[in-house]
Amino acid sequence: MQTRSSWGTVAVGMLGVLLATASFVPRALSAQPSMVVLVRHGEKSTEGGSDPSLSDAGKARAQALADALAMTTPNAIIVSSLKRTAETAAVVSAKTGVTPTVVTIGGATHVADVAAAVRKATGVVLVVGHSNTVPAIVTALGGPTLPDLCDASYATMFVLMPGADGKAAQVVLAHYGLADGPLPAACAGMVAK
């Protein structure tokens, strides 16, 4: 049985293989992203009202995201209009020179708007969202229906390979950075409904 920390190592190693092979997709998929990496923003500060910045742990998670994506350069980075998503993507953006696309959050169309922005991109796309938007974006892109991420969950990463010819997308659940602390029992299993 693997521990959470060894699972994280396995997951990041597997992610490296996926990232390294993302450029070898069939020509039929060239009009859409070859791979979409979706994460929740890093840990947020307890100060800052409704739009707080990242805490020190969140800044470390942003660096861990850049480390996890070290073998690829996203062609597009998509964030919400809240600071913590832009701050989470900032290290990747600085290393790659890719300016994030900001999709305003707060309306009923946010998830659809992010999915549309992803579909317009090619190559590897990084999406940094929120506990209640990331699973919904996975679903909107053809993945399974997933529950919202738990409020204390920050280490979850979804790697989505878009489907072709009407086939469902393939999704890998991975973890990056420091493992989340103990989660409530209701959060223990991230499984499709």
Side-chain angles (χ1 to χ4, degrees):
M1 181 173 180
Q2 294 180 334
T3 64
R4 284 186 74 84
S5 60
S6 66
W7 167 247
T9 301
V10 170
V12 170
M14 184 170 51
L15 176 63
V17 171
L18 286 171
L19 293 173
T21 60
S23 62
F24 300 108
V25 295
R27 188 172 294 275
L29 294 180
S30 63
Q32 66 180 2
S34 56
M35 181 172 60
V36 185
V37 178
L38 302 102
V39 298
R40 179 187 182 195
H41 59 78
E43 292 86 339
K44 58 190 174 186
S45 173
T46 56
E47 299 174 4
S50 63
D51 192 13
S53 289
L54 294 179
S55 66
D56 288 341
K59 292 173 186 173
R61 185 150 322 268
Q63 180 61 54
L65 177 61
D67 294 344
L69 299 177
M71 295 176 62
T72 192
T73 299
N75 289 13
I77 300 171
I78 301 170
V79 299
S80 80
S81 52
L82 298 178
K83 288 188 288 193
R84 55 194 176 266
T85 61
E87 291 172 1
T88 301
V91 180
V92 174
S93 177
K95 284 186 174 183
T96 63
V98 176
T99 301
T101 298
V102 178
V103 177
T104 302
I105 194 165
T109 64
H110 176 74
V111 169
D113 294 345
V114 171
V118 168
R119 287 187 188 102
K120 289 178 186 174
T122 59
V124 177
V125 178
L126 170 63
V127 176
V128 182
H130 302 272
S131 61
N132 62 337
T133 64
V134 168
I137 295 165
V138 168
T139 303
L141 293 172
T145 300
L146 301 168
D148 289 352
L149 296 172
C150 290
D151 193 50
S153 179
Y154 293 94
T156 302
M157 174 185 286
F158 297 97
V159 181
L160 183 140
M161 306 296 276
D165 302 324
K167 293 183 181 174
Q170 299 296 307
V171 180
V172 174
L173 173 63
H175 297 90
Y176 73 103
L178 290 177
D180 290 324
L183 297 175
C187 299
M190 172 56 85
V191 295
K193 291 182 183 175

